[in-house]
Each structure stands twice: as C-alpha cells, then as structure tokens.
Amino acid sequence: MKNIKNIKILALASFTMFLFGCDIDLQERFVFEPDVDLTDPYDTITAWEFFNLPQVNGLNEDGTFNGDNYNYLVAAIEAAGMIDEYNTPNSGRTYLMLNNNAFEGGGDVIELITGSEEVAEGETPAQVMARADIDVLRLILQYHIITTYITQNDPLIEFDVNYEFQTLIPGDAGKIILRRDNRLRIDVNRSPAPLPSTATSQDERLRNYNYVFNNGIGHSLNDPVRNQPYPAPSI
C-alpha cells in the first residue's frame, strides 16, 4: 500500500513539472559561421594571374628569392612565349607549378636550359632566361601542364595505383604518371611507374595542393619532372 502511495506522489510531481515547465522559450537556432573562409581564394583568376600576385612573387626580407614563390616561372613563361597556355580559359588542365626551388640547384631547370646551375650575383630571372635554350625551356613547361583536371583524390581514386595522363607534349614523350598514397600524397613518375629508368632524376612528390583557378588547378613542385631526358641545351 505504501508503494502505491509513493507511485501516486511521483506521478503527481511529474505531471506538475510538465504542466508548469512548458513555458520555457525555445532555444534560438544555432547557425555555424566558420572563422576560416572555406571558399577557393583564386577561383576567379587564371593561373597566370596567380603567378603575378605580389604574395607569390615577392622577395625575402634579405632580398633573396623565396623558394616557394614563382619569380623564375613568371620569367620562364614570358621567355617561352607561353602566357596564353596559363591565361586562356580552360577548366580541364592541371598545372604542375615549378617554384623557385625547382629552378635553382643541380639538375634543376636553370641547369637544364643553360647547361650550368650557376647564377651570377644580382642576375635577374629575366636575365637567366635570356641565356637559355628556349626550345628546351618550352618542352619543360609543356611537360608540366597536364590536360586532365586532377585533385588529390579525383581521378586518383585508389591509392598506390599508377594513373597515366597526357601533358601538352603529344605522344609517348608527353606521358606522365601520378600515384597517391593513403595519406593523399601524390608522387610523380615514381618507380615502379611504367616509364624508362631515365624518367626523372629523383622521386618527386607534389608539395602544395589544390590551387583552384578559373582555368584549371595547380600543385607546386620543388623539382622538375620528366619521362625521358630533356635535350641538352644548345647555347
């Protein structure tokens, strides 16, 4: 009997709380507003316009070139007469963006186009290009433009699988192999890619990814790549 009485008291208390507790105002709907702008910051400009932005071709405080910037690439594109390749609307391309590091050093672009890795003190990128073999330079730039739009996982859907693409160089000489791992890192022409042993001087990996432009997408490289040796420069 005592238990029944306790149950009645609990039931009455619950009903009372329900009756007088329903006048609580509904909580205002929460709208998430991220602090970080998640839109693509360069999707309204072309790759060429991107390379000419002050923040990607400025100098270090001591006046030296920032290795991640594109001072040499801008001069190379102008010298090769290839501005239209980077400036014309074409949403289906991938630009492998050769940064300053990719030009300087042994086996890098400057040596490939001039026969020497030496750069005189005070020599500007335009002056370096003035003594370059322009035909070789043009081949290098053409090989670093892929005619397919490639993000870190599309169309590279499976990891540790070689995906073959075509660059602006026609035929077998223009084939390039990309392969990503399970951490979304992408290697270029890396063994065992189905290419000759002369494909590249070292294993190369894309560095900074997914620069979305209105005429394609870009990923940066610290070294040039190839699927066969570039011709020796005729200087």
Side-chain angles (χ1 to χ4, degrees), residues 177-221:
I177 305 295
L178 301 185
R179 184 170 74 246
R180 78 168 179 90
D181 62 18
N182 59 358
R183 296 172 61 185
L184 294 182
R185 298 175 301 185
I186 300 176
D187 294 309
V188 184
N189 291 352
R190 184 168 185 164
S191 178
L195 293 171
S197 60
T198 54
T200 189
S201 57
Q202 54 187 312
D203 292 335
E204 297 302 339
R205 174 170 288 167
L206 301 184
R207 302 297 171 177
N208 298 311
Y209 297 90
N210 301 334
Y211 291 82
V212 176
F213 310 121
N214 67 7
N215 65 340
I217 189 170
H219 314 290
S220 71
L221 268 173

Side-chain angles (χ1 to χ4, degrees), residues 64-126:
T64 59
F65 291 124
N66 183 319
D68 289 323
N69 283 355
Y70 299 98
N71 306 76
Y72 279 109
L73 182 58
V74 168
I77 293 170
E78 290 177 330
M82 290 179 59
I83 291 177
D84 285 347
E85 298 291 357
Y86 295 84
N87 205 39
T88 300
N90 189 327
S91 60
R93 285 184 174 180
T94 297
Y95 301 96
L96 302 184
M97 307 185 302
L98 295 165
N99 60 24
N100 290 333
N101 286 328
F103 280 81
E104 300 179 304
D108 287 345
V109 176
I110 290 176
E111 183 172 2
L112 291 172
I113 62 178
T114 68
S116 171
E117 64 182 276
E118 298 298 324
V119 176
E121 184 176 355
E123 189 175 24
T124 67

Side-chain angles (χ1 to χ4, degrees), residues 4 25 34 47 61 86 102 112 120 140 143 168 190 196 217 224 227 231:
I4 295 175
D25 293 335
E61 291 183 0
Y86 295 84
L112 291 172
I140 293 171
Y143 190 72
L168 290 188
R190 184 168 185 164
I217 189 170
N227 72 2

Side-chain angles (χ1 to χ4, degrees), residues 145-148 164-176:
I145 300 178
I146 302 173
T147 58
T148 303
E164 182 180 295
F165 302 99
Q166 193 73 35
T167 68
L168 290 188
I169 298 175
D172 289 343
K175 291 180 179 179
I176 192 168

Side-chain angles (χ1 to χ4, degrees), residues 26 33 50 63 127 137 140 142 151 159 169 184-185 199 228:
L26 291 175
E33 296 182 0
F50 169 77
Q127 290 170 332
L137 174 60
I140 293 171
Q142 289 172 334
T151 71
F159 64 85
I169 298 175
L184 294 182
R185 298 175 301 185
Q228 60 186 36

